[in-house]
Amino acid sequence: MIKFYNVSKIYPVDVRALNKVSLHIKPGEFVSIVGQSGTGKTTMVKALIGEERIDEGKVVVGGWDITDIKENEIPILRRQIGVIFQDFKLLPKKTLFENVAFAMQVCNGSPSKIRKIVPQVMKIVGLESKINRYPFEVSGGEQQRATIARALVHRPKILLADEPTGNLDSLNAHEIIELLLRINRFGTTVVLVTHNREIVNGLKKRVITLDNGTIISDQAVGKYIL
Amino acid sequence: MLISLLRVVKFSIQDIYRNIWLSLVTIMILILSLFTINMLLVVKVVGDTAVEAIKEKIDINLFLKTTAEENEILALKAKISNLSEVKDVTYISKTEALENFKNKHTDNPEVLEALKILGANPLSPTLVIKPRNLENFDSLINSLNAFEDQIIESRNFANYKVMLGKINSITEKVYDAGLVLSAIFIAITLLVIYNSARVTMYTHRREITIMRLVGASKKFIQMPYLLSSIIYTFIGVLIIMIVFYLFLRLLQPYLEAFFVGYNVNLINYFFDNSLKIFGTQFLVAAVINVLASYLAVRKYSKV
Ligand SMILES: Nc1ncnc2c1ncn2[C@@H]1O[C@H](COP(=O)(O)OP(=O)(O)OP(=O)(O)O)[C@@H](O)[C@H]1O
Ligand SMILES: [Mg+2]
């Protein structure tokens, strides 16, 4: 589903954020990516959604070589990959429903489709009773769940979560991880970038450890080793 | 497709209304710009009218001897009419000249009294010559000076050419100044439009980030802002039409006082040509503004 071949990314001036990274993530996998701050985890996520161009190597997503993706193809790629970040990036003046609907509106989703899909994804993330609340009226965990709902509206094959629990207490964090696992059970490939040792160790899933832009460990049932 | 279009319109209106102050400033500057441009047009129309008015007034009086016979005069008139520089010649006989004179001085009893005391008609018959055009005014004067006819009493050739030159140069100077002013205002407008598009993009950066992340196309992200600039232009032109109408209403009495007896009606002029004038302004301004905002938006909407 995701393949990196000797991928390097060099930011100006001379920051090697990724250094000859090769990895292969199969469809339906749940993979955690860990590593110290500034080791290139977010850069990997950005390379996957075409936000950053890599300088060496090749990136393939779902059989599609996106290394030299054309600008007008990037939206097509992004509709196949859901992304969640640490900061929730909800629009404060829109209700949770409107926030999720917004993602479909801006991608030419028809009103009938929006009316059908938004409640579905809201139900998946367990927010069906709070759809008409504004972001400031719900907890951080619920806000993050709304962004997950938003990431799901295009029914992506891949869900990238870059420190989705970074701003949450452990209880809320746990719920988010449970949700990601549930989404993974539906067949979506999930890539979780995290700093949280407890979470990683509790998952008992594949763990890829990055250090200084290189993979230093890749274990099928991994532990947080740093 | 239609739904996308509607959403672009909706986002655009939201954009204008959420940044209402910025929108108002943008429209204000646009109006200033359009105002100077339209002033330029006024200067041009008034200048042209002034020149036309003076051209109308320019005629050459050839005063003839009081003793000249009617048939001699008509022969001379025919000869002058044949000159290529002449548009037409009117003959004013002694009696007509006297009538004109009396009419002109009805409220001046002393003059009329003096005329009565004089008894006989002291006025000369006159040939009023209108030049065909002003370029060969000089050659016309030369030709007239060359006429050796003993019935010619005097030749009064006031130099209108100097006056016309002056008016032309004043109009040109005002016009040039207006052109510079317009250029400045247009430059300012472009900067303002460019900048407000940038500020708008900045205030909407979160929305734009989300749009990009969830896979909105670049076109869809940019379109609302481009549409906004078209809407600004439209509102600007609409307001300038009203403002300028009011302005012309204020100006009209002064113009009428200045050009007594001439038909200078700028309101009518603008009214008759409104589609051409404001339509062109709208189209040109819209194109320029869309370009300016495109430049601003393009930088921020890179996917
Ligand atoms: N736009 C950029 N320009 C220049 N350098 C950058 C840029 N983005 C990231 N970097 C650098 O690249 C390296 C990797 O950054 P990245 O964001 O991928 O780290 P990370 O592993 O996600 O860190 P964190 O855990 O703190 O989020 C860092 O040294 C960072 O300073
Ligand atoms: Mg990061």
Side-chain angles (χ1 to χ4, degrees):
Chain A
M1 182 56 66
I2 297 173
K3 285 179 182 152
F4 276 50
Y5 297 97
N6 281 317
V7 172
S8 296
K9 168 72 195 177
I10 302 147
Y11 286 113
V13 180
D14 221 21
V15 180
R16 225 168 230 280
L18 292 178
N19 192 7
K20 293 201 164 34
V21 170
S22 294
L23 58 80
H24 182 177
I25 296 172
K26 291 190 216 49
E29 268 196 279
F30 189 114
V31 181
S32 305
I33 295 180
V34 300
Q36 266 155 6
S37 191
T39 51
K41 304 182 296 294
T42 301
T43 306
M44 269 179 74
V45 171
K46 285 181 174 168
L48 278 172
I49 57 171
E51 177 133 352
E52 291 286 359
R53 302 266 165 176
I54 57 168
D55 298 291
E56 289 163 19
K58 191 162 98 171
V59 178
V60 180
V61 175
W64 180 9
D65 184 347
I66 59 155
T67 316
D68 297 309
I69 189 171
K70 291 200 204 76
E71 209 187 14
N72 60 2
E73 291 173 336
I74 288 178
I76 303 167
L77 173 68
R78 292 196 182 150
R79 287 175 203 191
Q80 295 172 25
I81 304 179
V83 211
I84 312 149
F85 286 104
Q86 174 171 357
D87 49 339
F88 310 116
K89 291 202 165 80
L90 291 172
L91 297 169
K93 287 182 186 160
K94 287 186 190 292
T95 63
L96 298 185
F97 183 95
E98 288 165 346
N99 262 289
V100 176
F102 180 75
M104 297 185 76
Q105 283 170 358
V106 300
C107 296
N108 202 13
S110 70
S112 61
K113 214 170 152 194
I114 291 175
R115 274 194 301 276
K116 193 175 128 226
I117 291 189
V118 177
Q120 275 177 15
V121 292
M122 287 305 228
K123 190 151 183 266
I124 293 175
V125 302
L127 281 177
E128 61 269 47
S129 62
K130 294 181 175 163
I131 53 172
N132 289 323
R133 298 227 194 146
Y134 286 88
F136 67 89
E137 293 173 330
V138 300
S139 73
E142 286 165 335
Q143 287 182 40
Q144 190 60 293
R145 281 195 266 161
T147 64
I148 294 173
R150 187 179 63 198
L152 294 178
V153 290
H154 297 314
R155 307 185 176 277
K157 289 179 249 156
I158 301 170
L159 189 64
L160 303 177
D162 191 351
E163 300 192 36
T165 59
N167 281 342
L168 303 175
D169 60 42
S170 62
L171 193 66
N172 273 313
H174 197 72
E175 278 179 15
I176 295 295
I177 299 302
E178 280 303 314
L179 180 56
L180 292 180
L181 282 168
R182 191 137 44 91
I183 291 164
N184 176 242
R185 281 198 290 276
F186 292 151
T188 307
T189 310
V190 176
V191 177
L192 167 70
V193 173
T194 184
H195 271 134
N196 193 314
R197 170 187 302 269
E198 204 188 326
I199 285 176
V200 174
N201 291 344
L203 276 170
K204 305 207 166 38
K205 298 266 185 190
R206 182 175 169 194
V207 177
I208 296 173
T209 310
L210 275 182
D211 186 36
N212 243 327
T214 38
I215 295 179
I216 54 165
S217 132
D218 184 348
Q219 298 170 296
V221 179
K223 289 256 178 210
Y224 196 92
I225 56 167
L226 293 167
Chain B
M1 203 57 230
L2 181 69
I3 188 83
S4 275
L5 201 69
L6 287 177
R7 282 180 188 141
V8 164
V9 173
K10 186 179 141 203
F11 283 15
S12 162
I13 291 168
Q14 269 177 2
D15 152 44
I16 292 173
Y17 140 103
R18 285 201 202 143
N19 295 282
I20 188 71
W21 286 108
L22 196 68
S23 308
L24 288 180
V25 169
T26 311
I27 293 173
M28 277 302 296
I29 294 286
L30 203 70
I31 289 173
L32 269 177
S33 234
L34 290 172
F35 194 82
T36 34
I37 290 168
N38 285 299
M39 273 312 285
L40 218 59
L41 203 58
V42 168
V43 169
K44 182 143 176 51
V45 174
V46 170
D48 286 354
T49 319
V51 169
E52 277 313 307
I54 287 170
K55 277 184 189 166
E56 270 303 300
K57 263 196 182 146
I58 291 177
D59 38 26
I60 298 165
N61 290 333
L62 207 58
F63 297 106
L64 306 175
K65 294 212 169 90
T66 39
T67 55
E69 295 290 333
E70 189 85 4
N71 59 347
E72 288 176 305
I73 296 173
L74 289 178
L76 181 62
K77 179 183 175 216
K79 258 199 265 172
I80 294 175
S81 298
N82 281 336
L83 289 174
S84 60
E85 300 96 334
V86 169
K87 192 161 137 200
D88 86 303
V89 185
T90 342
Y91 166 46
I92 298 168
S93 68
K94 275 166 70 165
T95 8
E96 279 170 312
L98 185 64
E99 279 309 304
N100 289 346
F101 186 83
K102 279 183 184 164
N103 283 339
K104 211 166 153 189
H105 296 278
T106 37
D107 35 354
N108 199 337
E110 283 164 40
V111 173
L112 296 179
E113 195 57 33
L115 206 59
K116 238 181 230 164
I117 293 167
L118 216 58
N121 180 351
L123 296 174
S124 342
T126 317
L127 287 179
V128 180
I129 303 159
K130 274 202 189 306
R132 192 173 295 281
N133 63 46
L134 287 163
E135 278 68 57
N136 37 38
F137 193 80
D138 287 333
S139 88
L140 173 60
I141 303 260
N142 289 338
S143 311
L144 289 176
N145 279 332
F147 267 106
E148 285 303 338
D149 199 317
Q150 73 277 14
I151 62 165
I152 296 175
E153 167 90 21
S154 72
R155 306 161 207 245
N156 166 10
F157 305 143
N159 202 347
Y160 289 105
K161 223 186 164 181
V162 176
M163 198 152 101
L164 271 178
K166 269 187 188 150
I167 294 209
N168 270 332
S169 93
I170 290 174
T171 336
E172 261 162 38
K173 269 183 200 141
V174 173
Y175 195 76
D176 286 349
L179 219 54
V180 172
L181 206 63
S182 297
I184 293 173
F185 272 108
I186 290 171
I188 294 176
T189 313
L190 284 184
L191 281 177
V192 169
I193 295 261
Y194 174 76
N195 218 47
S196 53
R198 277 180 39 164
V199 173
T200 319
M201 293 302 274
Y202 182 77
T203 50
H204 289 192
R205 63 195 181 286
R206 185 186 275 261
E207 237 155 282
I208 291 166
T209 315
I210 293 171
M211 285 198 218
R212 292 171 42 213
L213 279 182
V214 299
S217 69
K218 197 162 113 181
K219 249 193 242 137
F220 187 86
I221 298 176
Q222 294 176 343
M223 283 303 267
Y225 303 101
L226 303 188
L227 182 62
S228 296
S229 67
I230 294 179
I231 295 178
Y232 289 144
T233 316
F234 185 72
I235 297 175
V237 171
L238 221 58
I239 295 178
I240 198 70
M241 283 169 84
I242 298 166
V243 168
F244 219 68
Y245 172 73
L246 296 175
F247 170 75
L248 290 178
R249 294 250 331 234
L250 286 176
L251 189 69
Q252 188 61 30
Y254 296 100
L255 281 179
E256 270 166 15
F258 193 72
F259 292 102
V260 210
Y262 290 93
N263 182 25
V264 264
N265 194 325
L266 282 174
I267 298 182
N268 284 349
Y269 176 80
F270 271 84
F271 210 81
D272 294 343
N273 297 295
S274 58
L275 195 67
K276 211 166 80 191
I277 295 173
F278 295 108
T280 314
Q281 277 172 31
F282 171 72
L283 283 182
V284 173
V287 167
I288 294 176
N289 291 339
V290 165
L291 274 176
S293 23
Y294 176 69
L295 285 182
V297 165
R298 195 183 51 170
K299 243 172 50 191
Y300 286 83
S301 59
K302 219 168 54 205
V303 286

